[in-house]
Amino acid sequence: MFFRPGKRDEAIDIAGGSGAAAAGSALVLVRRPSLAERYDHWREGVSARLRDVELAPDLARDIGGAKWWRGVATMVGLGALALAGWPDFAPLYAAPPMDLTDEARDEFRSQVIMPLALGADSGRRMGASTAVAALEAAPERPSIEVVATLAQGDSFERMLRRAGVGREEAQQVAALVGSSVGLDEIESGTKVDITLGRRTSVGQPRPLDALEFRARFDLRLVLARMDGRLSVRPVPIRVDSTPLRIRGTVGDSLFRSARAAGAPGPAVQAYLRTLQTQIDAGRIGSGDTFDMVIDYKRAETGETQTGQLLFAGLFGADGKPRARLMRWGSEGRFFEASGVGEQREGLVAPVSGPISSNYGMRRHPVLGYRRMHAGMDFKASYGTPIVAVTDATVTSAGRAGGCGNAVRLDHGNGLSTRYCHMSRMAVSRGQRVRRGQVIGYVGSTGLSTGPHLHYEMYSGGRAINPASVRFVTRAQLSGSELEAFRSKLTGLMRIEPGSALESLAPAKPADTAPVREIDRVQKAREIG
């Protein structure tokens, strides 16, 4: 305990008595401050003094004053510190030069790129040197073999010209090929083996000696020069057109079960789409039997070709048929086994995407006031394909005011649809389109705030809600056409599953002549 007279710092008065004696001789008990309290007191004092010190004042104000000179001193000091840390520059030392002898120099020359460009090897002492004399005229190869590919949109004549065939001879070859098969029937990607002979004179194109390619799945064409003239020889390829029938039991998934049975992916998708016109996919249960027949061709050379789905059948676990549909007619429509073609579909979405705005009154996003929204908006990204909701005829395709690029379809019986804000249209006026056919692509033309599809439907010329319409398409076969339909269906049902996969023996024995070693090495040059 410390007693300090006259000091008042958290003091407690312990003086007793009264009157003047008590007032003049008061004793106060003082508590010593702790270390933390003294540190806080010191820190507050230093902070108060540093607040008044401005190390980097504005040099544009109070020029010549004490504060300004202190700022100049700070700037000069920081600049001097930066210059003190400036990196030093030192020379870079390279490897000492190497003394090369003539022998080593020739060896290096044989391994650089220049001898490769001139056709020489790159081995030791194999490169061309100054002792090599150039020939006055290099001999040409007696023949050149190239493989040309018919590109998409290219003509057969241009493909020959690109491969090195002369103009007149290319026209002659195209005429010879056209006499055996239509040039438009040759598929893009077809590879053509071409043999060019020796030039008759310098600067002239090489003559065509031979040409061979697969013109169709069942035909091969061979052109050869006989007695100075080109002649074409068609070589038919034996093809078996037995359709491929695949049957199996449905497991957890109809798609996976069909794929596991060997059905091609596109055929399974077509099979599911066809069944959905008659049966709800949710009602296809485990234990049912799927039955499909696919157009299938196989050549004696080993190639196969898969075509369209011809028959789609589904049988219950008890063996009773639940659906039997066969493709028939020039339009490729599916009919029931009884000859009745029926297709029931709800609202077919014209584009893949969610509905962003329904039919009815709304506030227009561009004009800003409420008005009738006579359609449905589908949210989709720019360039998404737009399809026809059902079979129709294109009545208009072009610019339509605030609707932008628009296509209008007439579905018959007073029903029509319109597709607005397209970025690009894929049909023209008067064209017939089928359900699911692409008619354009999503865009943002006209009064639009972003890429989407505005889809309208009209009945008798009046706008209606597209969600309230169900499409029903029916067709009925009768007479001789019904008899032909049933006859073809009977023929398909007689096909044994997997019979089309049996090996097809070649019509004539394969050539077993020995292959020369030079033929194993030499390859034809491909021309794209």
Side-chain angles (χ1 to χ4, degrees), residues 111-156:
Q111 298 180 21
V112 297
I113 297 177
M114 185 180 296
L116 293 178
L118 299 177
D121 294 332
S122 60
R124 178 180 173 89
R125 295 187 175 278
M126 294 296 293
S129 64
T130 55
V132 177
L135 297 175
E136 295 182 0
E140 287 189 339
R141 296 181 181 180
S143 64
I144 295 179
E145 295 181 359
V146 297
V147 179
T149 303
L150 182 62
Q152 187 174 6
D154 199 2
S155 67
F156 197 82

Side-chain angles (χ1 to χ4, degrees), residues 193-408:
D193 297 328
I194 300 175
T195 303
L196 302 176
R198 192 190 297 273
R199 290 187 178 91
T200 56
S201 60
V202 179
Q204 295 296 322
R206 287 177 175 266
L208 179 68
D209 283 352
L211 182 144
E212 185 175 354
F213 71 102
R214 186 79 166 261
R216 288 198 311 260
F217 189 72
D218 60 347
L219 179 64
R220 190 172 189 85
L221 292 182
V222 178
L223 274 77
R225 188 176 295 277
M226 302 293 294
D227 299 331
R229 298 182 58 185
L230 287 172
S231 60
V232 60
R233 178 171 62 90
V235 180
I237 300 174
R238 189 162 63 96
V239 174
D240 180 71
S241 301
T242 303
L244 176 62
R245 187 176 185 182
I246 301 175
R247 299 190 66 180
T249 303
V250 179
D252 296 336
S253 169
L254 175 56
F255 181 84
R256 288 197 295 267
S257 300
R259 291 288 287 142
V268 178
Q269 294 176 357
Y271 173 81
L272 293 175
R273 287 195 301 267
T274 304
L275 281 187
Q276 287 176 359
T277 63
Q278 298 293 324
I279 300 176
D280 186 4
R283 298 176 56 190
I284 302 176
S286 177
D288 292 348
T289 301
F290 62 87
D291 188 4
M292 65 179 72
V293 180
I294 308 168
D295 187 18
Y296 189 78
K297 295 179 181 180
R298 50 183 179 150
E300 62 178 343
T301 53
E303 297 86 2
T304 60
Q305 190 178 70
T306 303
Q308 293 180 325
L309 177 71
L310 302 179
F311 173 81
L314 183 69
F315 299 85
D318 55 358
K320 294 182 179 180
R322 300 182 58 187
R324 298 176 67 197
L325 301 166
M326 189 185 76
R327 187 186 296 272
W328 181 258
S330 58
E331 296 184 355
R333 179 174 297 177
F334 280 88
F335 289 79
E336 296 178 355
S338 60
V340 176
E342 185 172 359
Q343 176 182 310
R344 290 190 177 93
E345 288 285 346
L347 175 65
V348 180
V351 71
S352 177
I355 298 175
S356 58
S357 181
N358 285 303
Y359 180 90
M361 293 295 297
R362 70 164 189 177
R363 186 179 184 87
H364 197 279
V366 177
L367 301 178
Y369 57 85
R370 289 181 59 81
R371 72 172 189 174
M372 184 65 182
H373 184 228
M376 300 174 65
D377 288 346
F378 290 84
K379 184 179 180 181
S381 58
Y382 191 91
T384 303
I386 302 171
V387 300
V389 294
T390 190
D391 299 350
T393 301
V394 181
T395 56
S396 65
R399 195 77 180 184
C403 204
N405 294 331
V407 171
R408 187 157 186 162

